[in-house]
Amino acid sequence: MSTLSIPQFVPPASDDAEQLRKAFSGWGTNEGLIISILSHRSSAHRREIRKAYAVLYGEDLLKALDKELSRDFEKIVLLWVLDHAERDAVLAYDSARRWGPGDRALIEIACARSSDELFAARRAYHARYKRSLEEDVAAHAKGDFRKLLVLLLTAYRYEGPEVNLTLAKSEAKLLHEKIEGKLYADEEIIRVLTTRSKAQLEATFNAYNNAFGHPINKDLKSDPKDHFLSALRAITKCITSPEKYFEKAIRLAINKVGTDEGAVTRIIATRAEVDLKQIKELYHKRNSVLLVHAIKKDTTGDYEDFLVALIGEESA
Amino acid sequence: MSTLSIPQFVPPASDDAEQLRKAFSGWGTNEGLIISILSHRSSAHRREIRKAYAVLYGEDLLKALDKELSRDFEKIVLLWVLDHAERDAVLAYDSARRWGPGDRALIEIACARSSDELFAARRAYHARYKRSLEEDVAAHAKGDFRKLLVLLLTAYRYEGPEVNLTLAKSEAKLLHEKIEGKLYADEEIIRVLTTRSKAQLEATFNAYNNAFGHPINKDLKSDPKDHFLSALRAITKCITSPEKYFEKAIRLAINKVGTDEGAVTRIIATRAEVDLKQIKELYHKRNSVLLVHAIKKDTTGDYEDFLVALIGEESA
């Protein structure tokens, strides 16, 4: 569930566009006004505002924001104004071009979106970058990661509830064999993780737990510093419990020496309208601190204000 | 261009549906009537006829045809009545489940369709089989073929005209190195063939020819009996010159000892509304025989009549 607080009566998009224009004009920028509008509008509203702004001022709102804002505040506002497919395309592009084995954005886009959302991101990637997402990932990621990520990102998983329990058992056995043999990048592991439906994978992981006495994620922890193993864990978690995955991701981003603003920005901007409410609740439960307090402690200025507006002040 | 001859005044879909119902009723089936209607209707018309038939008789036209017809005639009529995405899904399903290294249907679907058509087939596959195409291909194809086919079928290639000539040269060199080393299933070869846009690949193959003095397809012929090499040649040809690819495919299907009806059916049903006119012309030029005459020589009965109606009697 979304954490956005949207006023009962949302002004017409053209009024919002006018207010934003005002925020940009004169001496300095009125960041407070920008925050008070954009952080309290749904994606459908934001799309309308962008359209209205283009009609009224002959300029893309994103260009105007890009000129007026800076640093982390700029990054989150720009991501926020984009619709979800474009936002994923931008995140994927940045990750593909500067790919490193610790990257999580590509895994999140591949595993914590619906099949159609993932495909919409690939389509937006064409329009924006005149190339395909898989082309850039294949050209930049290396070795086993390349195999894994390209298949993960090009998947169009079936989304029905049908589950084949016999298959789940046999593939759980297969996964266990490969994991026992430390063949983590074996093509059978990659095949199962990248092609089966999420419902089927959930059944397979349950069968794994039943047959071998521990969750697959535990068995993928033999070397906590191995980046490939950690990517596999992120994938299984993103597929089966995205909220838990994101709670942990944001916890790690905040608890780092020097907050990982990139991760905070990405997670808040992509989850605010999806499941940030659940993530907040899990965060509170797991850390005995409200997420909004943790964020306030670790960030400053307009960036902090924008994050807080998206997360919501109220107790979890 | 299409080879269909569609009457200037097409009857309303409900009239066509009624006529088809008549063809099914009474003693025996009136195959001639079925052929005279369905072979002279565009895919949009056929879709309307299917709808009208369902409304009028509460039965799917495909079910009715399935009951009335048999063997090769049935196969081509059923494929023909499906819209292109469903047809590709059916063809891909049959190929995936009975996959063998000589299979061409999957390569054709992956390489001789637009990116959106290929994606539409994957979507139709979900709806029809409650699974993903890549899931079935990955579960049935083996070894290097699996790697190649899954990436080929899950690609969503960029389709703009932009070409990077520097990249074309460097990837031509890369392909040449791998081919010289006989590393045909090297992941770099697979990466280039499965991710780059068709325009980019065309530039790469031209750069290859310029730099090394022969077309890449010649260099992929070191062992004409190697199925993987032959699949690579089919891919490069399907991407750069689909009509030439299909001319050859239909020539081989006809000239076989015992015609390969499966291939003839698939090619005529999938190309009749796309580029069968060009394929016919190439066929005539290459074989000094009209395609329609070759088909008549090799087929019989209603199947023959239906093929001839789709190909068109007129000289090439």
Side-chain angles (χ1 to χ4, degrees), chain A residues 84-129:
Chain A
H84 73 86
E86 282 181 294
R87 186 194 297 141
D88 281 349
V90 169
L91 290 168
Y93 178 81
D94 289 346
S95 282
R97 313 280 292 180
R98 296 177 294 147
W99 184 81
D103 181 77
R104 284 294 171 269
L106 293 172
I107 289 177
E108 292 168 14
I109 291 167
C111 302
R113 309 290 188 263
S114 73
S115 298
D116 280 322
E117 283 168 349
L118 171 56
F119 182 69
R122 296 173 72 191
R123 196 191 280 272
Y125 202 99
H126 278 202
R128 210 174 166 97
Y129 303 113

Side-chain angles (χ1 to χ4, degrees), chain B residues 221-264:
Chain B
K221 233 175 182 162
S222 59
D223 176 0
K225 288 192 177 156
D226 181 310
H227 279 301
F228 191 79
L229 273 182
S230 139
L232 292 181
R233 289 199 304 277
I235 291 166
T236 61
K237 215 157 165 188
C238 241
I239 284 174
T240 54
S241 331
E243 309 86 18
K244 281 192 199 164
Y245 166 87
F246 284 112
E247 183 283 322
K248 186 172 175 189
I250 205 162
R251 171 166 25 106
L252 296 178
I254 292 174
N255 292 348
K256 242 187 176 168
V257 184
T259 310
D260 180 352
E261 286 86 5
V264 170

Side-chain angles (χ1 to χ4, degrees), chain B residues 15 21 58 95 104 107 111 130 159 164 205 219 230 238 243 283:
Chain B
D15 289 11
R21 186 72 170 189
S95 281
R104 284 294 171 271
I107 289 178
C111 301
K130 311 289 173 206
E159 294 197 312
N164 179 336
F205 299 153
D219 289 353
S230 139
C238 241
E243 309 86 18
Y283 188 94

Side-chain angles (χ1 to χ4, degrees), chain A residues 115-116 119 122-123 126-127 130-132 134-136 138-139 143 146-147 150-151 154-159 162 167 187-188 191 194-197 200, chain B residues 115-116 119 122-123 126-127 130-132 134-136 138-139 143 146-147 150-151 154-159 162 167 187-188 191 194-197 200:
Chain A
S115 298
D116 280 322
F119 182 69
R122 296 173 72 191
R123 196 191 280 272
H126 278 202
K130 310 289 173 205
R131 279 198 298 283
S132 71
E134 59 265 34
E135 184 168 8
D136 282 351
R146 169 152 99 187
K147 283 181 211 162
V150 170
L151 289 167
T154 56
Y156 182 63
R157 295 181 199 267
Y158 177 63
E159 295 196 310
E162 296 86 350
L167 185 69
E187 58 176 87
E188 290 293 327
R191 175 183 65 79
T194 61
T195 66
R196 296 302 184 193
S197 76
Q200 182 67 35
Chain B
S115 297
D116 281 322
F119 182 69
R122 295 173 71 191
R123 196 191 281 272
H126 279 201
K130 311 289 173 206
R131 279 198 297 282
S132 71
E134 60 265 34
E135 184 169 8
D136 282 350
R146 169 152 98 187
K147 284 182 208 160
V150 170
L151 289 167
T154 56
Y156 182 63
R157 296 180 198 268
Y158 177 62
E159 294 197 312
E162 296 86 349
L167 184 70
E187 59 176 87
E188 290 293 326
R191 174 183 66 79
T194 61
T195 65
R196 296 303 184 192
S197 76
Q200 181 67 33

